[in-house]
């Protein structure tokens, strides 16, 4: 929540509730200590930052310094990143310059504890589809080497790879098993033509983190100017609950509108 809130330009207030004697429940204390340890290493990606041209590329969320001197790619994962292992990423919205440097916060890119034979130096190269980077996790924030929280990749002197389109998810008009989905393209970005579609899925969990159903896409529509667009969906479960979102297919990556209930 902290990472995604900051990537979207918001502020995050974390509250706790003490017991009647004033002590914090152990569960709350553990959570505060865990966040404090993460912030000790990664706070520069949270304080004095602004949103990037897009909030995220999948599980990678972005913040940038107010003076645009550094971009932070905050990498979420369902599994811990094993120490002394490499990961490769492609950042489609980022373009390197002659002065670009990359590193992982909390490590020096020079040594891996207990592995003198490894050179953990971060590397990158620019391709047409984006900035390809290769980094290694060398931190030891927990003695069991299984720190489960996101790593932060710092990129200095980079620039946007494109001007992103802006899309909104508006509303759905539903009658039984049939619905008309409405969206709006607010900005073409740097494109003269774009493919627009919608995605929808059943809502089976209580919140977005517990969703298990895959998204289903509607037919695409070619747009050459800003304005509204629609799609028709049939064969819905009349008693089912769904959510949907507008999607723009840019050559580099897909851009999404907000998820909204399909009522």
């Amino acid at each position: 929540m902290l990472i995604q809130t900051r990537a979207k330009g918001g502020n995050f207030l974390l509250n706790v509730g003490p017991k009647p004697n004033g002590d914090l429940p152990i569960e709350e204390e553990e959570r505060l200590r865990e966040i404090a340890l993460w912030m000790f290493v990664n706070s520069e990606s949270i304080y004095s930052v602004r949103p990037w041209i897009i909030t995220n590329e999948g599980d990678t969320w972005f913040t940038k310094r107010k003076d645009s001197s550094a971009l932070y790619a905050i990498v979420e994962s369902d599994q811990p990143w094993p120490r002394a292992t490499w990961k490769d990423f492609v950042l489609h919205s980022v373009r390197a310059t002659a002065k670009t440097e990359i590193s992982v916060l909390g490590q020096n890119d020079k040594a891996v504890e207990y592995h003198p034979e490894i050179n953990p130096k971060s590397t990158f190269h620019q391709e047409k589809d984006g900035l390809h980077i290769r980094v290694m996790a060398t931190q030891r924030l927990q003695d069991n080497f299984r720190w489960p929280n996101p790593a932060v990749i710092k990129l200095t002197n980079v620039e946007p790879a494109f001007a992103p389109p802006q899309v909104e998810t508006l509303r759905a008009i539903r009658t039984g098993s049939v619905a008309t989905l409405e969206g709006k393209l607010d900005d073409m970005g740097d494109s003269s033509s774009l493919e627009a579609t919608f995605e929808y899925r059943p809502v089976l969990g209580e919140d977005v983190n517990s969703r298990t159903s895959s998204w289903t896409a509607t037919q695409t529509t070619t747009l050459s100017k800003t304005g509204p667009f629609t799609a028709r969906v049939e064969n819905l479960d009349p008693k089912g609950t769904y959510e949907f979102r507008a999607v723009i297919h840019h050559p580099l990556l897909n851009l999404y509108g907000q998820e909204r209930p399909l009522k």
Side-chain angles (χ1 to χ4, degrees):
M1 289 178 66
L2 169 64
I3 292 163
Q4 295 184 19
T5 299
R6 295 302 287 142
K8 296 174 182 178
N11 291 319
F12 184 72
L13 174 63
L14 179 63
N15 194 20
V16 292
K19 295 187 290 187
N21 66 355
D23 291 341
L24 288 180
I26 186 62
E27 298 85 359
E28 295 183 5
E29 181 180 341
E30 289 175 348
R31 181 59 51 88
L32 289 175
R33 291 183 180 275
E34 187 172 359
I35 290 178
L37 179 56
W38 190 88
M39 288 290 291
F40 176 75
V41 173
N42 302 297
S43 60
E44 69 175 270
S45 68
I46 298 297
Y47 293 125
S48 300
V49 294
R50 296 292 183 269
W52 179 234
I53 59 168
I54 58 174
T55 59
N56 65 298
E57 296 183 24
D59 291 332
T60 300
W61 294 79
F62 297 105
T63 60
K64 70 170 184 177
R65 300 296 297 175
K66 286 195 294 186
D67 61 4
S68 298
S69 61
L71 174 69
Y72 303 95
I74 307 172
V75 182
E76 294 186 317
S77 177
D78 293 334
Q79 300 294 329
W81 184 349
R83 188 168 165 274
T85 61
W86 294 99
K87 275 197 176 184
D88 296 278
F89 303 92
V90 181
L91 303 180
H92 301 285
S93 63
V94 185
R95 180 183 294 124
T97 68
K99 297 181 179 180
T100 294
E101 295 180 353
I102 69 170
S103 59
V104 180
L105 296 185
Q107 57 193 56
N108 63 10
D109 254 16
K110 295 179 180 180
V112 184
E113 188 179 16
Y114 306 130
H115 292 281
E117 76 282 2
I118 296 178
N119 178 8
K121 177 67 176 176
S122 303
T123 60
F124 67 92
H125 65 278
Q126 187 71 49
E127 299 287 350
K128 290 183 178 179
D129 64 338
L131 183 63
H132 292 241
I133 63 178
R134 191 167 197 251
V135 291
M136 176 178 283
T138 68
Q139 301 169 345
R140 181 154 72 107
L141 299 181
Q142 287 183 324
D143 286 340
N144 61 7
F145 300 107
R146 292 185 59 81
W147 178 244
N149 295 308
V152 180
I153 303 168
K154 180 179 181 179
L155 305 98
T156 59
N157 300 304
V158 294
E159 59 187 25
F162 70 109
Q166 303 293 325
V167 64
E168 287 185 77
T169 308
L170 297 181
R171 63 171 183 166
I173 302 174
R174 180 177 176 183
T175 304
S177 61
V178 179
T180 299
L181 311 182
E182 299 180 354
K184 184 182 179 184
L185 179 61
D186 293 323
D187 193 323
M188 296 288 294
D190 57 7
S191 301
S192 59
S193 178
L194 292 165
E195 298 295 319
T197 187
F198 293 92
E199 293 179 346
Y200 64 96
R201 65 180 176 182
V203 175
L204 302 178
E206 294 182 356
D207 59 56
V208 68
N209 295 316
S210 61
R211 304 282 197 261
T212 57
S213 300
S214 300
W215 291 97
T216 300
T218 65
Q219 283 190 316
T220 59
T221 301
T222 302
L223 303 176
S224 57
K225 62 180 181 179
T226 58
F229 60 96
T230 62
R232 179 181 172 90
V233 177
E234 299 180 349
N235 301 318
L236 299 173
D237 180 354
K239 297 182 180 180
T241 302
Y242 296 82
E243 63 182 355
F244 76 109
R245 62 188 181 186
V247 185
I248 293 295
H249 298 294
H250 187 275
L252 288 176
L253 75 167
N254 293 336
L255 288 306
Y256 299 92
Q258 183 180 354
E259 291 92 353
R260 296 194 181 279
L262 199 170
K263 296 181 180 180

